PDB file of all heavy atoms in Angstrom:
ATOM      1  N   LYS N  13      74.999 140.914  92.972  1.00 97.00           N
ATOM      2  CA  LYS N  13      75.976 140.680  91.912  1.00 97.00           C
ATOM      3  C   LYS N  13      77.328 141.315  92.266  1.00 97.00           C
ATOM      4  O   LYS N  13      78.385 140.687  92.095  1.00 97.00           O
ATOM      5  CB  LYS N  13      75.444 141.252  90.601  1.00 97.00           C
ATOM      6  CG  LYS N  13      76.407 141.218  89.418  1.00 97.00           C
ATOM      7  CD  LYS N  13      75.729 141.772  88.179  1.00 97.00           C
ATOM      8  CE  LYS N  13      76.680 141.805  86.981  1.00 97.00           C
ATOM      9  NZ  LYS N  13      77.688 142.881  87.125  1.00 97.00           N
ATOM     10  N   LEU N  14      77.300 142.546  92.792  1.00 97.00           N
ATOM     11  CA  LEU N  14      78.550 143.269  93.060  1.00 97.00           C
ATOM     12  C   LEU N  14      79.373 142.623  94.162  1.00 97.00           C
ATOM     13  O   LEU N  14      80.607 142.673  94.120  1.00 97.00           O
ATOM     14  CB  LEU N  14      78.244 144.728  93.415  1.00 97.00           C
ATOM     15  CG  LEU N  14      77.652 145.600  92.299  1.00 97.00           C
ATOM     16  CD1 LEU N  14      77.418 147.014  92.796  1.00 97.00           C
ATOM     17  CD2 LEU N  14      78.561 145.610  91.071  1.00 97.00           C
ATOM     18  N   VAL N  15      78.710 142.017  95.152  1.00 97.00           N
ATOM     19  CA  VAL N  15      79.478 141.435  96.265  1.00 97.00           C
ATOM     20  C   VAL N  15      79.945 140.017  95.976  1.00 97.00           C
ATOM     21  O   VAL N  15      80.636 139.413  96.800  1.00 97.00           O
ATOM     22  CB  VAL N  15      78.674 141.456  97.579  1.00 97.00           C
ATOM     23  CG1 VAL N  15      78.314 142.879  97.958  1.00 97.00           C
ATOM     24  CG2 VAL N  15      77.438 140.560  97.507  1.00 97.00           C
ATOM     25  N   GLY N  16      79.564 139.473  94.810  1.00 96.00           N
ATOM     26  CA  GLY N  16      80.069 138.150  94.460  1.00 96.00           C
ATOM     27  C   GLY N  16      79.033 137.057  94.417  1.00 96.00           C
ATOM     28  O   GLY N  16      79.383 135.874  94.389  1.00 96.00           O
ATOM     29  N   GLY N  17      77.749 137.399  94.424  1.00 97.00           N
ATOM     30  CA  GLY N  17      76.709 136.400  94.254  1.00 97.00           C
ATOM     31  C   GLY N  17      76.001 136.025  95.543  1.00 97.00           C
ATOM     32  O   GLY N  17      76.258 136.559  96.630  1.00 97.00           O
ATOM     33  N   GLU N  18      75.095 135.060  95.396  1.00 97.00           N
ATOM     34  CA  GLU N  18      74.210 134.680  96.500  1.00 97.00           C
ATOM     35  C   GLU N  18      74.970 134.156  97.715  1.00 97.00           C
ATOM     36  O   GLU N  18      74.584 134.416  98.855  1.00 97.00           O
ATOM     37  CB  GLU N  18      73.202 133.624  96.010  1.00 97.00           C
ATOM     38  CG  GLU N  18      72.166 133.240  97.044  1.00 97.00           C
ATOM     39  CD  GLU N  18      71.077 132.359  96.465  1.00 97.00           C
ATOM     40  OE1 GLU N  18      71.133 132.035  95.259  1.00 97.00           O
ATOM     41  OE2 GLU N  18      70.150 132.009  97.224  1.00 97.00           O
ATOM     42  N   GLU N  19      76.041 133.431  97.496  1.00 96.00           N
ATOM     43  CA  GLU N  19      76.792 132.856  98.619  1.00 96.00           C
ATOM     44  C   GLU N  19      77.290 133.944  99.570  1.00 96.00           C
ATOM     45  O   GLU N  19      77.315 133.763 100.793  1.00 96.00           O
ATOM     46  CB  GLU N  19      77.981 132.045  98.094  1.00 96.00           C
ATOM     47  CG  GLU N  19      78.779 131.356  99.188  1.00 96.00           C
ATOM     48  CD  GLU N  19      79.946 130.552  98.635  1.00 96.00           C
ATOM     49  OE1 GLU N  19      80.028 130.389  97.398  1.00 96.00           O
ATOM     50  OE2 GLU N  19      80.776 130.091  99.447  1.00 96.00           O
ATOM     51  N   LYS N  20      77.674 135.092  99.019  1.00 96.00           N
ATOM     52  CA  LYS N  20      78.155 136.198  99.847  1.00 96.00           C
ATOM     53  C   LYS N  20      76.999 137.055 100.370  1.00 96.00           C
ATOM     54  O   LYS N  20      77.083 137.618 101.463  1.00 96.00           O
ATOM     55  CB  LYS N  20      79.109 137.086  99.034  1.00 96.00           C
ATOM     56  CG  LYS N  20      80.352 136.357  98.513  1.00 96.00           C
ATOM     57  CD  LYS N  20      81.350 136.117  99.625  1.00 96.00           C
ATOM     58  CE  LYS N  20      82.526 135.288  99.143  1.00 96.00           C
ATOM     59  NZ  LYS N  20      83.320 135.990  98.108  1.00 96.00           N
ATOM     60  N   PHE N  21      75.936 137.165  99.570  1.00 97.00           N
ATOM     61  CA  PHE N  21      74.863 138.097  99.912  1.00 97.00           C
ATOM     62  C   PHE N  21      73.888 137.525 100.930  1.00 97.00           C
ATOM     63  O   PHE N  21      73.357 138.267 101.770  1.00 97.00           O
ATOM     64  CB  PHE N  21      74.107 138.490  98.638  1.00 97.00           C
ATOM     65  CG  PHE N  21      73.233 139.703  98.792  1.00 97.00           C
ATOM     66  CD1 PHE N  21      73.795 140.963  98.931  1.00 97.00           C
ATOM     67  CD2 PHE N  21      71.850 139.589  98.788  1.00 97.00           C
ATOM     68  CE1 PHE N  21      72.997 142.101  99.058  1.00 97.00           C
ATOM     69  CE2 PHE N  21      71.040 140.710  98.920  1.00 97.00           C
ATOM     70  CZ  PHE N  21      71.619 141.970  99.054  1.00 97.00           C
ATOM     71  N   GLN N  22      73.659 136.202 100.881  1.00 96.00           N
ATOM     72  CA  GLN N  22      72.640 135.616 101.744  1.00 96.00           C
ATOM     73  C   GLN N  22      72.922 135.808 103.237  1.00 96.00           C
ATOM     74  O   GLN N  22      72.002 136.130 104.010  1.00 96.00           O
ATOM     75  CB  GLN N  22      72.461 134.129 101.418  1.00 96.00           C
ATOM     76  CG  GLN N  22      71.124 133.566 101.857  1.00 96.00           C
ATOM     77  CD  GLN N  22      69.959 134.314 101.233  1.00 96.00           C
ATOM     78  OE1 GLN N  22      69.918 134.557 100.030  1.00 96.00           O
ATOM     79  NE2 GLN N  22      69.006 134.710 102.062  1.00 96.00           N
ATOM     80  N   PRO N  23      74.169 135.629 103.698  1.00 96.00           N
ATOM     81  CA  PRO N  23      74.432 135.894 105.128  1.00 96.00           C
ATOM     82  C   PRO N  23      74.134 137.336 105.521  1.00 96.00           C
ATOM     83  O   PRO N  23      73.699 137.590 106.648  1.00 96.00           O
ATOM     84  CB  PRO N  23      75.922 135.568 105.279  1.00 96.00           C
ATOM     85  CG  PRO N  23      76.213 134.606 104.179  1.00 96.00           C
ATOM     86  CD  PRO N  23      75.354 135.040 103.032  1.00 96.00           C
ATOM     87  N   PHE N  24      74.360 138.273 104.610  1.00 97.00           N
ATOM     88  CA  PHE N  24      74.013 139.665 104.892  1.00 97.00           C
ATOM     89  C   PHE N  24      72.514 139.806 105.132  1.00 97.00           C
ATOM     90  O   PHE N  24      72.084 140.509 106.064  1.00 97.00           O
ATOM     91  CB  PHE N  24      74.441 140.577 103.738  1.00 97.00           C
ATOM     92  CG  PHE N  24      73.695 141.879 103.690  1.00 97.00           C
ATOM     93  CD1 PHE N  24      73.958 142.878 104.614  1.00 97.00           C
ATOM     94  CD2 PHE N  24      72.696 142.093 102.738  1.00 97.00           C
ATOM     95  CE1 PHE N  24      73.238 144.067 104.592  1.00 97.00           C
ATOM     96  CE2 PHE N  24      71.980 143.273 102.711  1.00 97.00           C
ATOM     97  CZ  PHE N  24      72.246 144.268 103.643  1.00 97.00           C
ATOM     98  N   LEU N  25      71.700 139.155 104.292  1.00 97.00           N
ATOM     99  CA  LEU N  25      70.252 139.270 104.457  1.00 97.00           C
ATOM    100  C   LEU N  25      69.806 138.763 105.821  1.00 97.00           C
ATOM    101  O   LEU N  25      68.975 139.392 106.489  1.00 97.00           O
ATOM    102  CB  LEU N  25      69.526 138.491 103.362  1.00 97.00           C
ATOM    103  CG  LEU N  25      69.284 139.195 102.035  1.00 97.00           C
ATOM    104  CD1 LEU N  25      68.376 138.357 101.157  1.00 97.00           C
ATOM    105  CD2 LEU N  25      68.676 140.574 102.240  1.00 97.00           C
ATOM    106  N   ARG N  26      70.326 137.631 106.249  1.00 97.00           N
ATOM    107  CA  ARG N  26      69.946 137.102 107.559  1.00 97.00           C
ATOM    108  C   ARG N  26      70.348 138.078 108.664  1.00 97.00           C
ATOM    109  O   ARG N  26      69.584 138.314 109.614  1.00 97.00           O
ATOM    110  CB  ARG N  26      70.580 135.730 107.789  1.00 97.00           C
ATOM    111  CG  ARG N  26      70.040 134.639 106.861  1.00 97.00           C
ATOM    112  CD  ARG N  26      70.701 133.302 107.129  1.00 97.00           C
ATOM    113  NE  ARG N  26      70.262 132.741 108.391  1.00 97.00           N
ATOM    114  CZ  ARG N  26      69.305 131.827 108.525  1.00 97.00           C
ATOM    115  NH1 ARG N  26      68.661 131.383 107.455  1.00 97.00           N
ATOM    116  NH2 ARG N  26      68.972 131.352 109.707  1.00 97.00           N
ATOM    117  N   ARG N  27      71.524 138.661 108.559  1.00 98.00           N
ATOM    118  CA  ARG N  27      71.961 139.640 109.550  1.00 98.00           C
ATOM    119  C   ARG N  27      71.082 140.878 109.514  1.00 98.00           C
ATOM    120  O   ARG N  27      70.791 141.482 110.550  1.00 98.00           O
ATOM    121  CB  ARG N  27      73.420 140.038 109.306  1.00 98.00           C
ATOM    122  CG  ARG N  27      74.453 139.080 109.883  1.00 98.00           C
ATOM    123  CD  ARG N  27      75.785 139.798 110.097  1.00 98.00           C
ATOM    124  NE  ARG N  27      75.670 140.877 111.077  1.00 98.00           N
ATOM    125  CZ  ARG N  27      76.364 142.010 111.033  1.00 98.00           C
ATOM    126  NH1 ARG N  27      77.216 142.238 110.040  1.00 98.00           N
ATOM    127  NH2 ARG N  27      76.220 142.923 111.967  1.00 98.00           N
ATOM    128  N   TYR N  28      70.678 141.281 108.331  1.00 98.00           N
ATOM    129  CA  TYR N  28      69.801 142.442 108.167  1.00 98.00           C
ATOM    130  C   TYR N  28      68.493 142.231 108.928  1.00 98.00           C
ATOM    131  O   TYR N  28      68.041 143.107 109.685  1.00 98.00           O
ATOM    132  CB  TYR N  28      69.546 142.648 106.674  1.00 98.00           C
ATOM    133  CG  TYR N  28      68.495 143.665 106.300  1.00 98.00           C
ATOM    134  CD1 TYR N  28      68.810 145.010 106.162  1.00 98.00           C
ATOM    135  CD2 TYR N  28      67.185 143.263 106.040  1.00 98.00           C
ATOM    136  CE1 TYR N  28      67.844 145.944 105.780  1.00 98.00           C
ATOM    137  CE2 TYR N  28      66.215 144.178 105.662  1.00 98.00           C
ATOM    138  CZ  TYR N  28      66.553 145.517 105.534  1.00 98.00           C
ATOM    139  OH  TYR N  28      65.589 146.420 105.153  1.00 98.00           O
ATOM    140  N   PHE N  29      67.859 141.061 108.768  1.00 98.00           N
ATOM    141  CA  PHE N  29      66.600 140.795 109.453  1.00 98.00           C
ATOM    142  C   PHE N  29      66.803 140.650 110.958  1.00 98.00           C
ATOM    143  O   PHE N  29      65.926 141.037 111.746  1.00 98.00           O
ATOM    144  CB  PHE N  29      65.933 139.549 108.874  1.00 98.00           C
ATOM    145  CG  PHE N  29      65.444 139.733 107.466  1.00 98.00           C
ATOM    146  CD1 PHE N  29      65.868 138.901 106.445  1.00 98.00           C
ATOM    147  CD2 PHE N  29      64.563 140.756 107.159  1.00 98.00           C
ATOM    148  CE1 PHE N  29      65.419 139.079 105.146  1.00 98.00           C
ATOM    149  CE2 PHE N  29      64.107 140.947 105.853  1.00 98.00           C
ATOM    150  CZ  PHE N  29      64.544 140.098 104.852  1.00 98.00           C
ATOM    151  N   GLU N  30      67.940 140.106 111.377  1.00 98.00           N
ATOM    152  CA  GLU N  30      68.223 140.023 112.813  1.00 98.00           C
ATOM    153  C   GLU N  30      68.450 141.410 113.404  1.00 98.00           C
ATOM    154  O   GLU N  30      67.939 141.742 114.480  1.00 98.00           O
ATOM    155  CB  GLU N  30      69.466 139.155 113.045  1.00 98.00           C
ATOM    156  CG  GLU N  30      69.266 137.677 112.736  1.00 98.00           C
ATOM    157  CD  GLU N  30      70.582 136.918 112.703  1.00 98.00           C
ATOM    158  OE1 GLU N  30      71.638 137.535 113.003  1.00 98.00           O
ATOM    159  OE2 GLU N  30      70.559 135.717 112.376  1.00 98.00           O
ATOM    160  N   HIS N  31      69.213 142.240 112.694  1.00 98.00           N
ATOM    161  CA  HIS N  31      69.595 143.552 113.217  1.00 98.00           C
ATOM    162  C   HIS N  31      68.402 144.499 113.296  1.00 98.00           C
ATOM    163  O   HIS N  31      68.225 145.205 114.307  1.00 98.00           O
ATOM    164  CB  HIS N  31      70.685 144.167 112.329  1.00 98.00           C
ATOM    165  CG  HIS N  31      71.146 145.523 112.773  1.00 98.00           C
ATOM    166  ND1 HIS N  31      71.996 145.699 113.844  1.00 98.00           N
ATOM    167  CD2 HIS N  31      70.864 146.771 112.298  1.00 98.00           C
ATOM    168  CE1 HIS N  31      72.232 147.002 114.008  1.00 98.00           C
ATOM    169  NE2 HIS N  31      71.547 147.667 113.086  1.00 98.00           N
ATOM    170  N   PHE N  32      67.576 144.531 112.244  1.00 98.00           N
ATOM    171  CA  PHE N  32      66.469 145.485 112.198  1.00 98.00           C
ATOM    172  C   PHE N  32      65.141 144.865 112.627  1.00 98.00           C
ATOM    173  O   PHE N  32      64.114 145.548 112.603  1.00 98.00           O
ATOM    174  CB  PHE N  32      66.319 146.060 110.788  1.00 98.00           C
ATOM    175  CG  PHE N  32      67.430 146.997 110.386  1.00 98.00           C
ATOM    176  CD1 PHE N  32      68.397 146.596 109.463  1.00 98.00           C
ATOM    177  CD2 PHE N  32      67.526 148.270 110.924  1.00 98.00           C
ATOM    178  CE1 PHE N  32      69.425 147.454 109.081  1.00 98.00           C
ATOM    179  CE2 PHE N  32      68.546 149.135 110.551  1.00 98.00           C
ATOM    180  CZ  PHE N  32      69.498 148.728 109.630  1.00 98.00           C
ATOM    181  N   GLY N  33      65.134 143.593 113.017  1.00 97.00           N
ATOM    182  CA  GLY N  33      63.890 142.925 113.385  1.00 97.00           C
ATOM    183  C   GLY N  33      63.128 143.675 114.465  1.00 97.00           C
ATOM    184  O   GLY N  33      63.694 144.080 115.484  1.00 97.00           O
ATOM    185  N   GLY N  34      61.822 143.872 114.243  1.00 96.00           N
ATOM    186  CA  GLY N  34      60.992 144.606 115.183  1.00 96.00           C
ATOM    187  C   GLY N  34      61.065 146.105 115.033  1.00 96.00           C
ATOM    188  O   GLY N  34      60.381 146.834 115.760  1.00 96.00           O
ATOM    189  N   ARG N  35      61.857 146.582 114.085  1.00 96.00           N
ATOM    190  CA  ARG N  35      62.066 148.022 113.933  1.00 96.00           C
ATOM    191  C   ARG N  35      61.745 148.452 112.497  1.00 96.00           C
ATOM    192  O   ARG N  35      61.329 147.656 111.669  1.00 96.00           O
ATOM    193  CB  ARG N  35      63.514 148.384 114.279  1.00 96.00           C
ATOM    194  CG  ARG N  35      63.871 148.100 115.739  1.00 96.00           C
ATOM    195  CD  ARG N  35      65.212 148.716 116.088  1.00 96.00           C
ATOM    196  NE  ARG N  35      66.318 147.942 115.527  1.00 96.00           N
ATOM    197  CZ  ARG N  35      67.516 148.458 115.228  1.00 96.00           C
ATOM    198  NH1 ARG N  35      67.735 149.747 115.375  1.00 96.00           N
ATOM    199  NH2 ARG N  35      68.480 147.681 114.762  1.00 96.00           N
ATOM    200  N   THR N  36      61.976 149.729 112.230  1.00 97.00           N
ATOM    201  CA  THR N  36      61.813 150.256 110.881  1.00 97.00           C
ATOM    202  C   THR N  36      63.185 150.566 110.293  1.00 97.00           C
ATOM    203  O   THR N  36      64.177 150.684 111.010  1.00 97.00           O
ATOM    204  CB  THR N  36      60.956 151.531 110.876  1.00 97.00           C
ATOM    205  OG1 THR N  36      61.580 152.522 111.699  1.00 97.00           O
ATOM    206  CG2 THR N  36      59.560 151.246 111.388  1.00 97.00           C
TER     207      THR N  36
END
């Protein structure tokens, strides 16, 4: 909500899984 909704947040989630993938 704070960053402006799903359109802004969803790319962050994909980057999050790419960045931390295979790790803790």
Side-chain angles (χ1 to χ4, degrees):
K13 174 178 178 287
L14 293 181
V15 300
E18 185 172 1
E19 183 180 351
K20 300 285 175 64
F21 195 71
Q22 202 58 48
F24 158 73
L25 275 189
R26 293 180 71 98
R27 277 203 63 213
Y28 171 87
F29 292 123
E30 291 168 4
H31 180 76
F32 290 107
R35 296 191 285 154
T36 59

